[in-house]
Amino acid sequence: MAGLVWFVATFAPLSAGAQEPPPDEEPSFGEEGGDMLGIGNVAATLIAMTALHWDGARTKEPQPRDRPPATRRIDSELLPVAVHGSDDVSEARLRAALRALEQAVWVLEREGWELPVPDGGRGETSGFDLYLSPTDALAEGAPEGDVPWSFLDSNIGFGVVDPDVDRLGACVAQAYGETLALSLDPAEASGWRKALGVYLARRVTGEFGCGDAVDRQQAEPYRSWIPTVERLDERAPLDGGGGALLFALLSERHDGGTGRFIRDLWDLVRQRTWEQETLGLRASPDLWEGIDTVLEASGSKLDPYMDELAVARFALGDSARERHAGYAALHDLNTPVPLTFETDLAALPHHTGASPVLDVYGSAYAMVDVRGAPSDSRLRIWLRGEYGVEWQLSATRLDAEGRERGRLSAPPRVGDRRAYLPIELDEDTAQVLVTVTNLGHRLPDADDPEMSARAFRLIFELVREGQEPVRD
């Protein structure tokens, strides 16, 4: 009892509205069954002073969508899934979509992916609902609200596929995958959710989703792997192609193409928003943070790995891709990565113009034809990038058949927009592929506006052994 008296005497003045009673009055203990004056406020003050508070990034919860109108439904007899449509959609189309949906569930469950969280009877079914309804996205997973009974953040969703798509199976799998992403982590940016849908469609059908997302990413390598929502211009469409290709490359490198690494990565970044939900969902760790952490734990770093992927994607779209051993499972990509600059010995020394603007982790490529160079010569390469970001410069020696003979990278330097590489040429080197990647100034966040897009220029010079270097 003495301890309680000391506690009240010491901390009661801290509570809002607490006052000492006059000397001639007895302390009031409130109504019968109530607390001693100030105890409730004191307790709240102590909790506020000592409890852990989330000060990390937050993001808005996905905006709920209304379900499309539907007058017909076919339920699966094997799985808790159903396909809905209007009278304009034939029964044959509905059944084909149901078969594709069942295939997607079987394949992904076998690979360890859970079913999307049940929707509590919405759509008059107990499981996942897919709607064949016109949509400009061709295929998408739509949010419908949070899941109050889930320990971790989760969102109820449904799938929508345009009934007139050509690749119905890939489109259904993509819509299912995007809805699965909502169920796993609604705090991830829409670009990541779209990417998972496109990637999982590849796992199920062998096709990267409903459209040409990955082909567009290959044709526009200056784009970020995951564009931000704020980028509404044509250079950053939220089609999921970059992220899907990134997932495929990560899987090839870390799990041999089984997809286990990507599944575990999504599990790794899940979190629970348990306090002050009105401020938004906890947005950290996100997938970029998860990838960075896993690579560091494996003894690697994200920035050098982005350089490796930049070179790999060039090889995947190259006509000589069969001669490249790495990432063999992706050798069916048909879209070549374009060259930004091309030059040869006759044009050296050569100063390029300004490159296209590169988003963070976007890349650009130059090719120097060095056939006929003296055996004791060296190709010197200077990079001059815009301020505000770090730059990665690498050069890959190729033989006459397009096979890689060696690679050299200049480590990025904080606060220095310049880089330099001397490439020793030998009789087997026919071309030198130069790759430049914008590393930004911090780990990217797909929820933030893109503020680090920058351009660069290159300088090429051929020198013989013993020649004095040119001072810059």
Side-chain angles (χ1 to χ4, degrees), residues 103-104 107-108 110-111 113 167-178 194-211 213-215 218 240-241 243-249 251-252 257-259 262 316 321 327-335:
Q103 177 70 11
V107 170
L108 297 179
R110 189 166 61 246
E111 293 190 356
W113 296 88
R167 294 184 286 183
L168 182 62
C171 295
V172 169
Q174 178 179 328
Y176 178 78
E178 289 186 40
K194 180 71 71 174
L196 184 64
V198 175
Y199 167 73
L200 292 181
R202 166 86 171 195
R203 304 289 311 168
V204 174
T205 68
E207 297 177 306
F208 273 115
C210 204
V214 171
D215 289 334
Q218 283 287 93
L245 184 56
L246 177 62
F247 284 150
L249 292 165
S251 177
E252 281 289 296
T258 65
I262 305 305
L316 293 177
R321 57 182 174 269
Y327 304 102
L330 298 172
H331 281 176
D332 60 330
L333 293 180
N334 296 316
T335 303

Side-chain angles (χ1 to χ4, degrees), residues 260-431:
R260 178 179 177 181
F261 178 82
I262 305 305
R263 185 197 68 210
D264 292 347
L265 183 64
W266 276 82
D267 282 337
L268 173 68
V269 300
R270 298 186 71 182
Q271 61 266 314
R272 180 189 181 197
T273 304
W274 58 269
E275 82 294 16
Q276 295 183 332
E277 292 86 349
T278 56
L279 297 178
L281 299 176
R282 290 188 176 190
S284 180
D286 63 9
L287 281 164
W288 276 126
E289 292 173 309
I291 294 170
D292 183 50
T293 300
V294 171
L295 289 175
E296 186 171 355
S298 65
S300 182
K301 295 288 185 180
L302 183 58
D303 286 351
Y305 186 55
M306 289 297 106
D307 178 52
E308 176 186 331
L309 294 189
V311 177
R313 70 189 297 186
F314 185 89
L316 293 177
D318 186 64
S319 60
R321 57 182 174 269
E322 292 82 3
R323 295 188 284 274
H324 295 274
Y327 304 102
L330 298 172
H331 281 176
D332 60 330
L333 293 180
N334 296 316
T335 303
V337 173
L339 292 170
T340 301
F341 304 113
E342 291 185 81
T343 190
D344 56 24
L345 290 180
L348 301 183
H350 177 68
H351 294 239
T352 72
S355 72
V357 174
L358 306 187
D359 294 337
V360 177
Y361 293 151
S363 299
Y365 303 85
M367 189 72 78
V368 183
D369 192 320
V370 295
R371 279 173 281 207
S375 59
D376 61 346
S377 60
R378 180 186 303 120
L379 177 67
R380 300 196 300 176
I381 307 167
W382 288 269
L383 165 71
R384 297 295 179 262
E386 290 186 319
Y387 288 101
V389 300
E390 295 180 23
W391 294 94
Q392 179 74 63
L393 171 68
S394 70
T396 305
R397 294 189 296 110
L398 306 174
D399 65 15
E401 298 297 322
R403 293 172 296 204
E404 183 173 334
R405 307 297 299 183
R407 189 185 310 170
L408 185 64
S409 297
R413 296 181 292 183
V414 177
D416 193 342
R417 65 189 180 93
R418 301 170 300 172
Y420 167 71
L421 283 176
I423 307 301
E424 300 288 345
L425 303 179
D426 57 27
E427 59 184 10
D428 292 326
T429 303
Q431 294 176 304

Side-chain angles (χ1 to χ4, degrees), residues 119-139:
D119 61 12
R122 304 181 189 188
E124 300 182 354
T125 70
S126 59
F128 175 75
D129 297 298
L130 177 74
Y131 291 81
L132 295 187
S133 180
T135 170
D136 292 337
L138 298 183

